[in-house]
Amino acid sequence: MAKLKPPQSIKGMHDILPAEQVFWQFIYQKATELFADYGFEKIDTPVVEAATLFWQAVGQDTDIVDKEMYVFKTGGDEELALRPENTASIARAFIEHGMQVLPQPVKLWYWGPMFRHDQPQAGRYRQFFQSGLELLGDGHPAADAEVIFVALGFLQSLGLKKLCLKINSLGDEHCRPVYLKLLKDFLKNRSRYLCATCRLRQKTSPLRVLDCKVENCREVGKEAPQLLDHLDERCREHFKKVIEFLDEIKAPYTLDPFLVRGLNYYTHTVFEISLEEKGEEKDQKFGPALVAGGRYNGLISLLGGPSTPAVGWAAGIERIISVLKQQTVKIPENRPPSKIFIAQLGDLGKKKSLVLFEEFRQAGLLPSISLGRDSIKAQLRVANRLEVKLALIIGQKEALDGTVIVREMHSGIQEVVSLEEIIATVKKKLKVIKSTFHHEDGLEMSPKNEK
Ligand code: AMP
């Protein structure tokens, strides 16, 4: 029979292996603590939603809807989608659960996988995790500043450095259409300089021309009228206040008139946080965005809910992990390493050691154990590698006698202890070892030997 090709994960989708989990747990824990401190409550929404939710919310002529959604039909001919982002789902949940009757603002945070059928490359996957905040029911510019402040605090709490906030205003339903007409007219006369994609986009989503990375399009963009100069009084005032709040909280930011974001629901403030990159290409001062978001005052009413101003952001967890590694941020150990190791010989020894393991675990002293290995020598090698202080050995004789050999790893001194006294003896010995300390050269010395 022909040998089967070994199965592989799908392009752009990855396993998160045990060695990586320390990063994921670290970020999740920081998110949980920090977001709760700022009064955000966790919400989980399903990964599958009606496709129309995203068609309506994210909007046509966006990359997500046009090219990147995983849409499928069920037996009943329902069109469903794997969520490409979570703001639409949260807006749906807000409406569905009548959250407008709750004290406003409603402050929510989330964590979970998103799916976009994009071209996989570094920092761009087809399944990736986002964690984000949504603050619903508050239209004040202070809310924009608050969520930005939490985003910066989140990244800083992870130990990330050289963060850079770019910010812009996209106006609202009153002033943006007037500006879009101006921009379309401007682009029409320069169509021949644009890349093929932008030549199509200039009519349907002209703002996207401004964030095109193709050199010619960037040159055209630089000459284009800027939305910031065409905001109406209300939008200008909103943006000015956001900036004033950011000044007050001393958040470093750059005004970026080319920041437009690829989702249609944004109004007023949009922002991205990335890393400052040195020695970069011309005009490319920033790395890929770690966090991106903005205000979306029209989304909930667009989906049929009550008119509700809202603002939020999403952080890309894989990208954050890649920067944590790049900046060699030290991740604190989640649980202290074991101080004791249980080694055993034979079936009876294994049985006894399992019981002992549980007794120690319940006593708050989690041991390490390696049941698969038979030779005591091999097990002690593992104990050495784990740098435990004590090895508890249950050989065949000890298993029958109801005793344990307690071996001090640093001196090799051994003592036979009865099972009844083992926990108390180990606690006492660990205390004594703790009162000694490690000299800089790694030798363990007792305080009395100190010069
Ligand atoms: P967006 O939902 O497009 O505003 O993206 C918000 C954040 O999610 C970005 O700043 C990235 O950090 C992350 N992100 C977006 N798309 C991807 C992707 N395809 N792969 C990995 N991370 C992504």
Side-chain angles (χ1 to χ4, degrees):
M1 210 169 77
K3 213 171 162 209
L4 282 179
K5 207 171 148 225
Q8 283 197 323
S9 59
I10 290 169
K11 189 175 166 188
M13 304 197 179
H14 306 280
D15 301 312
I16 305 171
L17 295 173
E20 292 285 300
Q21 294 292 344
V22 59
F23 291 98
W24 290 82
Q25 276 163 19
F26 172 59
I27 302 173
Y28 185 80
Q29 196 182 328
K30 288 283 178 195
T32 313
E33 287 165 9
L34 188 81
F35 302 159
D37 283 354
Y38 281 89
F40 289 83
E41 294 179 297
K42 189 160 186 255
I43 181 167
D44 291 310
T45 58
V47 290
V48 176
E49 298 268 4
T52 46
L53 174 67
F54 303 107
W55 290 333
Q56 282 179 321
V58 177
Q60 302 296 327
D61 300 320
T62 59
D63 285 347
I64 290 181
V65 164
D66 289 355
K67 302 189 253 173
E68 296 169 4
M69 287 226 319
Y70 284 89
V71 180
F72 56 96
K73 274 202 172 127
T74 62
D77 253 10
E78 245 182 318
E79 275 191 301
L80 302 180
L82 293 181
R83 62 180 180 193
E85 57 102 62
N86 211 21
T87 302
S89 305
I90 289 183
R92 192 253 322 124
F94 182 91
I95 300 166
E96 187 173 333
H97 302 288
M99 293 190 204
Q100 74 275 11
V101 303
L102 299 176
Q104 306 288 300
V106 174
K107 295 165 85 173
L108 303 171
W109 77 274
Y110 61 86
W111 175 287
M114 308 296 151
F115 304 85
R116 294 185 196 171
H117 193 263
D118 202 351
Q119 203 44 45
Q121 49 187 283
R124 197 170 285 281
Y125 309 105
R126 289 183 172 171
Q127 176 180 320
F128 57 97
F129 276 70
Q130 284 186 336
S131 182
L133 303 185
E134 311 293 353
L135 191 155
L136 307 115
D138 187 350
H140 197 279
D144 307 37
E146 179 183 344
V147 297
I148 292 174
F149 191 58
V150 181
L152 283 167
F154 173 50
L155 297 177
Q156 280 159 356
S157 76
L158 300 173
L160 296 184
K161 302 202 175 61
K162 296 191 189 158
L163 298 171
C164 184
L165 166 68
K166 290 184 289 176
I167 187 162
N168 190 21
S169 172
L170 296 183
D172 65 6
E173 70 281 14
H174 304 295
C175 59
R176 195 172 355 167
V178 181
Y179 166 75
L180 287 182
K181 169 136 191 8
L182 258 177
L183 181 61
K184 275 185 192 166
D185 290 345
F186 171 87
L187 293 174
K188 198 155 73 187
N189 298 328
R190 286 154 186 87
S191 191
R192 61 189 178 283
Y193 303 117
L194 300 177
C195 72
T197 315
C198 285
R199 237 173 278 150
L200 292 175
R201 274 179 181 164
Q202 63 169 333
K203 290 197 195 100
T204 52
S205 48
L207 275 179
R208 297 302 312 279
V209 176
L210 299 183
D211 76 351
C212 179
K213 300 288 175 278
V214 176
E215 184 64 28
N216 277 354
C217 302
R218 293 170 78 93
E219 290 303 318
V220 171
K222 278 185 200 161
E223 304 291 320
Q226 293 191 354
L227 183 43
L228 279 182
D229 299 327
H230 296 272
L231 295 179
D232 62 19
E233 190 53 35
R234 240 172 50 96
C235 292
R236 201 169 324 119
E237 194 51 27
H238 183 97
F239 194 50
K240 193 169 141 253
K241 287 225 173 89
V242 175
I243 297 294
E244 281 169 8
F245 275 107
L246 292 181
D247 284 334
E248 190 63 32
I249 57 181
K250 299 203 168 26
Y253 61 86
T254 308
L255 289 186
D256 183 351
F258 301 108
L259 181 67
V260 299
R261 313 282 304 115
L263 301 94
N264 285 354
Y265 51 61
Y266 285 119
T267 53
H268 294 282
T269 319
V270 285
F271 61 91
E272 280 185 6
I273 304 175
S274 44
L275 289 190
E276 248 177 75
E277 289 197 337
K278 287 219 177 92
E280 60 292 325
E281 292 167 31
K282 193 154 72 84
D283 291 340
Q284 281 268 304
K285 266 187 75 195
F286 310 103
L290 301 177
V291 166
R295 183 163 274 289
Y296 52 96
N297 288 351
L299 179 59
I300 292 174
S301 52
L302 176 81
L303 295 177
S307 168
T308 309
V311 60
W313 52 257
I317 305 303
E318 284 82 355
R319 286 194 198 172
I320 291 177
I321 291 177
S322 136
V323 178
L324 285 173
K325 289 179 181 170
Q326 200 181 309
Q327 296 191 350
T328 55
V329 173
K330 204 165 165 359
I331 309 294
E333 297 243 14
N334 221 357
R335 54 166 80 199
S338 297
K339 293 193 176 75
I340 49 183
F341 185 93
I342 301 179
Q344 35 53 50
L345 207 59
D347 278 355
L348 191 55
K350 280 196 204 322
K351 282 179 198 155
K352 297 269 177 194
S353 62
L354 267 182
V355 175
L356 200 61
F357 180 93
E358 185 53 23
E359 281 172 8
F360 270 100
R361 199 184 69 80
Q362 287 190 15
L365 276 174
L366 188 66
S368 289
I369 194 164
S370 177
L371 280 179
R373 281 168 219 263
D374 273 333
S375 111
I376 293 278
K377 216 166 142 196
Q379 292 177 63
L380 288 182
R381 266 204 302 272
V382 177
N384 234 332
R385 190 156 35 81
L386 294 174
E387 296 179 0
V388 298
K389 308 290 177 210
L390 301 173
L392 313 185
I393 306 164
I394 308 184
Q396 270 149 351
K397 178 173 182 315
E398 290 74 30
L400 289 171
D401 289 356
T403 56
V404 180
I405 301 171
V406 180
R407 179 189 174 92
E408 291 179 15
M409 294 301 284
H410 71 288
S411 64
I413 294 172
Q414 299 194 161
E415 184 187 336
V416 178
V417 179
S418 73
L419 276 175
E420 292 80 51
E421 287 165 27
I422 187 68
I423 292 185
T425 308
V426 163
K427 280 188 175 166
K428 213 184 304 160
K429 277 183 181 283
L430 287 177
K431 228 186 219 161
V432 173
I433 293 172
K434 201 177 167 200
S435 71
T436 64
F437 62 91
H438 287 273
H439 195 252
E440 268 172 42
D441 61 8
L443 287 175
E444 200 158 74
M445 301 174 72
S446 82
K448 64 177 183 294
N449 292 339
E450 202 180 0
K451 279 186 196 136

